[in-house]
């Protein structure tokens, strides 16, 4: 996400104070920034003109003795929309969301990541155009597109880097091609920015913001076709230097050297304890299962073989998490994905509390997903909103909008 790098008292900075709830009246903004009343008024006029702010119910000022209540300033989450998509290996969900993360229109269906980026992105563009039409939203209101993908992403470039389960996507110009596919299907409107991140990162980002906003170190483990981790520290995703952080599915287990992983190596955690691995193990045991979602269905039905394998898989993941939790010292460990049920969670807890130091787990809350299958979608939308309305980005957009209005006035007959 883009941070504040420019004028700390700019209109974009005031917007951030309002969005964060740190200063939500004109007086509070003056106090927080040291700006004069007229300067604050001018900055707010810019934000109101852009449609980004609205006035809520008036509230008495702190220490008020009966004077006129101050109008509460609020970010208008309905002035624009975000398009977001959460791509899995064989399934995708796309949606139109407002700027507060509320899903306004949604579509889910089969979409095979192995079909390659051209086919997948063209279909996504078609879905997006259909969703906008369904919701009655003009494309001009779209402020950005967010994509959640099941592979490592270099966030700055938007490139997927050596993804084990995304053949044909390595180094593909995903952002540019998504723009082109979307434009081809809406047949109108300006180009919109596209942001891309790993699915576990975005799930963690959404879950932390919605359910655990006060947790300064948050860890999410997604166990589906593969196994990945999303880490949020002080409210921001931690990605490492090039998007490789959290790829715990490819940590080697010392006693599983015969297990072949999708990455080509042997002994990876994902080759032993992922949804794909359990599907293979169930099939070998005479219970035909094609995917992690199939394992999930068996677990929901209480199938004994599936329950036993899921608990053992949880123990294997717990072995790795002992080190991860010791290193990160998170306040919340969330298990998400196809296997995120009681048997798997029980296995994780058994190993974690048995082998980790009591100091490490004393304040650790081990939970399952709150947002469920929408977590990636909501996280992808939040990524776009935080980027587009970050102070420096907001100031640049306001300046460009002002230039456009000036030029239109100059050329008017």
């Amino acid at each position: 996400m883009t941070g504040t790098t420019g004028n700390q008292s700019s209109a974009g900075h005031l917007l951030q104070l309002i969005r964060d709830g740190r200063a939500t009246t004109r007086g509070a903004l003056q106090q927080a920034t040291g700006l004069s009343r007229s300067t604050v008024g001018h900055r707010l006029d810019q934000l109101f003109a852009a449609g980004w702010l609205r006035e809520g119910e008036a509230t008495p000022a702190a220490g008020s003795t009966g004077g006129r209540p101050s109008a509460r300033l609020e970010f208008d989450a309905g002035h624009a929309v975000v398009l977001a998509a959460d791509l899995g290996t064989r399934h995708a969900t796309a949606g139109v969301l407002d700027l507060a993360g509320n899903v306004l229109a949604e579509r889910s269906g089969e979409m095979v990541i192995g079909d390659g980026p051209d086919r997948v992105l063209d279909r996504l563009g078609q879905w997006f155009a259909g969703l906008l039409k369904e919701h009655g939203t003009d494309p001009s209101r779209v402020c950005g597109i967010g994509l959640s993908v099941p592979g490592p992403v270099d966030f700055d470039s938007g490139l997927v880097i050596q993804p084990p389960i995304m053949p044909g996507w390595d180094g593909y110009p995903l952002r540019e091609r998504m723009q082109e596919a979307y434009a081809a299907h809406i047949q109108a409107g300006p180009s919109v920015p596209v942001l891309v991140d790993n699915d576990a990162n975005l799930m963690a980002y959404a879950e932390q913001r919605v359910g655990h906003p006060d947790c300064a170190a948050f860890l999410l483990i997604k166990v589906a076709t593969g196994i990945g981790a999303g880490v949020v520290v002080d409210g921001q995703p931690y990605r490492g230097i090039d998007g490789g952080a959290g790829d715990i599915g490819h940590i080697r287990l010392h006693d599983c050297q015969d297990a072949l992983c999708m990455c080509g190596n042997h002994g990876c955690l994902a080759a032993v304890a992922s949804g794909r691995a359990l599907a293979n193990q169930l099939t070998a045991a005479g219970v035909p299962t094609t995917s992690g979602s199939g394992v999930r269905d068996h677990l929901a039905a209480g199938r004994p073989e599936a329950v036993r394998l899921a608990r053992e898989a949880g123990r294997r993941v717990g072995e790795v998490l002992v080190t991860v939790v010791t290193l990160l010292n998170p306040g919340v460990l969330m298990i998400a994905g196809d296997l995120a049920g009681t048997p798997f969670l029980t296995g994780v807890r058994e190993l974690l509390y048995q082998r980790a130091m009591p100091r490490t787990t004393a304040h650790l809350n081990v939970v399952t997903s709150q947002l469920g299958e929408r977590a990636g979608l909501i996280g992808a939308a939040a990524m776009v909103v935080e980027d587009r309305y970050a102070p420096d980005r907001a100031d640049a957009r306001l300046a460009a909008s002002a230039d456009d209005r000036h030029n239109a006035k100059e050329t008017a007959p």
Side-chain angles (χ1 to χ4, degrees):
M1 312 332 174
T2 304
T4 305
T5 58
N7 182 355
Q8 296 293 298
S9 300
S10 67
H13 181 62
L14 266 60
L15 179 67
Q16 190 70 54
L17 292 173
I18 295 167
R19 292 185 61 222
D20 289 347
R22 286 179 286 167
T24 57
T25 64
R26 285 168 171 81
L29 289 168
Q30 286 177 244
Q31 187 174 14
T33 62
L35 296 175
S36 68
R37 181 174 180 175
S38 61
T39 301
V40 167
H42 174 68
R43 302 275 196 271
L44 293 178
D45 286 344
Q46 292 177 273
L47 297 171
F48 277 113
W52 297 357
L53 285 187
R54 65 185 179 194
E55 288 192 343
E57 294 184 8
T59 56
S64 173
T65 57
R68 182 179 178 182
S70 300
R72 180 178 175 85
L73 302 169
E74 299 175 349
F75 180 59
D76 187 351
H79 78 266
V81 297
V82 176
L83 298 175
D86 182 18
L87 301 179
T89 53
R90 305 191 62 84
H91 184 272
T93 301
V96 180
L97 296 89
D98 68 16
L99 304 183
N102 298 306
V103 179
L104 307 175
E106 185 177 13
R107 177 173 179 176
S108 295
E110 182 176 304
M111 194 175 292
V112 180
I113 204 81
D115 285 345
D118 290 327
R119 290 183 62 181
V120 169
L121 296 183
D122 180 70
R123 194 169 179 205
L124 266 186
Q126 185 179 10
W127 281 18
F128 284 146
L131 286 167
L132 288 173
K133 185 175 182 180
E134 172 190 324
H135 189 253
T137 299
D138 191 275
S140 63
R141 295 186 58 221
V142 176
C143 72
I145 296 174
L147 300 180
S148 166
V149 300
V153 176
D154 182 338
F155 184 74
D156 290 338
S157 68
L159 298 177
V160 181
I161 307 298
Q162 299 178 3
I165 58 175
M166 298 177 69
W169 293 75
D170 184 22
Y172 182 87
L174 184 49
R175 295 190 300 204
E176 295 78 5
R177 295 293 187 267
M178 183 72 259
Q179 286 178 325
E180 293 171 3
Y182 171 67
H185 285 284
I186 62 167
Q187 300 178 340
S191 177
V192 297
V194 175
L195 283 83
V196 188
D197 203 356
N198 168 260
D199 54 358
N201 286 346
L202 292 177
M203 291 171 68
Y205 189 49
E207 296 278 8
Q208 188 271 338
R209 287 164 61 94
V210 172
H212 306 272
D214 297 327
C215 180
F218 180 92
L219 172 63
L220 178 142
I221 307 299
K222 180 184 180 183
V223 188
T225 299
I227 300 176
V231 181
V232 179
V233 177
D234 292 333
Q236 296 298 321
Y238 177 75
R239 302 183 178 91
I241 59 169
D242 62 2
D247 205 3
I248 67 168
H250 301 286
I251 292 176
R252 307 283 185 86
L253 301 177
H254 68 88
D255 58 344
C256 298
Q257 296 308 308
D258 292 336
L260 177 63
C261 183
M262 288 287 292
C263 72
N265 290 320
H266 289 80
C268 294
L269 179 65
V272 176
S274 67
R276 181 193 294 271
L278 265 63
N280 292 337
Q281 292 168 34
L282 283 168
T283 300
V287 183
T289 311
T290 58
S291 65
S293 60
V295 178
R296 181 185 61 201
D297 293 341
H298 289 316
L299 289 170
R303 191 94 185 219
E305 302 94 327
V307 170
R308 178 182 61 80
L309 288 173
R311 183 164 179 171
E312 180 57 30
R315 290 174 60 84
R316 299 316 302 250
V317 172
E319 290 180 45
V320 171
L321 289 182
V322 170
T323 301
V324 175
V325 166
T326 301
L327 179 65
L328 295 178
N329 188 211
V332 174
L333 166 61
M334 178 174 285
I335 306 298
D338 291 331
L339 303 189
T342 299
F344 187 89
L345 196 65
T346 299
V348 169
R349 283 181 167 142
E350 283 177 358
L351 256 291
L352 193 57
Y353 288 105
Q354 174 186 335
R355 297 191 181 179
M357 293 289 289
R359 169 71 180 81
T360 304
T361 57
H363 303 288
L364 178 65
N365 191 16
V366 183
V367 300
T368 54
S369 171
Q370 180 174 329
L371 297 176
E373 295 185 357
R374 278 184 166 176
L377 194 71
I378 293 171
M383 167 180 64
V384 173
V385 174
E386 292 307 312
D387 178 84
R388 298 296 285 159
Y389 294 91
D392 55 344
R393 187 83 73 201
D395 288 330
R397 293 174 63 199
L398 290 170
S401 179
D403 288 343
D404 289 343
R405 289 195 298 269
H406 176 76
N407 293 335
K409 192 177 295 185
E410 290 283 317
T411 57

